[in-house]
Amino acid sequence: SLGLLDQLAALHQLPAATRPLLETAAWLHDVGHAVHYAKHHRHSQYLILHSDIPGLTDRERLLASLVARFHRRSPPERTHLELEPLSPAEFTAVRRLSTLLRVADSLDRSHQQPVKQVVATSRGNVVQLRVRPHPRRDLELEFWDAAHEIELFGKVFDKTLAVVKG
């Protein structure tokens, strides 16, 4: 997730202060599995929001919990009750960060860490993610899951996402 954040800085145009939000959400987005597999994204949100996370203010913890909340299932839309109270800048950050987390998470859908390297490039209207697998690892599940994030990525960044093996 952080690699994508860095490589796509010109695309997302978020301030450096949002990096800890994505870092927290990336590390803890699946912590909700400890409560229950179903709706783990909601449990992750709750656990992050109600935990003491050194280095984050209460507001930053709220934003990180929302990034984790929207890493699966429903997309982060302005009409969602949990997102309505956010300022325009906060909403934009949560929407963009959760979309990047969704893409990164899809590239480890098997939870076997099959990806060795991702190189992101942006040319014109296309953002290409060139994904190199670890030797003897199959990326079929990851590519299938990443395909489900293409539409949201297009809505959020107004770019076409292409995920290719290489």
Side-chain angles (χ1 to χ4, degrees):
S1 301
L2 296 175
L4 284 180
L5 183 74
D6 295 339
Q7 291 182 55
L8 297 175
L11 175 68
H12 64 68
Q13 299 182 347
L14 293 170
T18 62
R19 186 182 178 86
L21 307 179
L22 181 60
E23 186 173 16
T24 300
W27 278 103
L28 300 174
H29 71 279
D30 280 342
V31 72
H33 283 298
V35 177
H36 197 276
Y37 181 79
K39 299 183 181 179
H40 79 275
H41 56 294
R42 291 180 182 271
H43 298 301
S44 293
Q45 175 190 9
Y46 179 87
L47 291 169
I48 293 168
L49 184 60
H50 296 285
S51 295
D52 181 25
I53 301 176
L56 294 185
T57 66
D58 290 347
R59 192 67 177 182
E60 290 169 332
R61 199 172 59 246
L62 167 68
L63 297 174
S65 76
L66 289 169
V67 173
R69 155 67 175 93
F70 288 100
H71 88 277
R72 296 301 291 163
R73 305 266 182 163
S74 48
E77 299 294 343
R78 187 51 145 164
T79 55
H80 197 283
L81 288 175
E82 293 170 294
L83 298 175
E84 284 180 2
L86 300 183
S87 72
E90 290 172 333
F91 171 73
T92 296
V94 167
R95 191 166 191 239
R96 290 179 183 176
L97 293 173
S98 63
T99 300
L100 291 175
L101 181 56
R102 289 169 83 106
V103 171
D105 190 46
S106 72
L107 295 176
D108 188 29
R109 179 56 47 223
S110 67
H111 297 291
Q112 300 294 315
Q113 299 178 345
V115 174
K116 182 175 185 173
Q117 181 183 33
V118 177
V119 176
T121 56
S122 183
R123 287 205 179 115
N125 205 33
V126 176
V127 172
Q128 183 182 76
L129 301 182
R130 185 166 298 280
V131 181
R132 278 190 33 208
H134 280 288
R136 296 178 299 281
R137 295 286 173 96
D138 181 31
L139 294 177
E140 188 174 324
L141 179 59
E142 281 69 22
F143 276 77
W144 174 83
D145 201 43
H148 291 92
E149 303 304 336
I150 289 173
E151 183 180 347
L152 177 62
F153 188 94
K155 285 180 184 177
V156 172
F157 294 107
D158 198 28
K159 299 274 185 181
T160 300
L161 179 64
V163 182
V164 298
K165 194 173 182 179

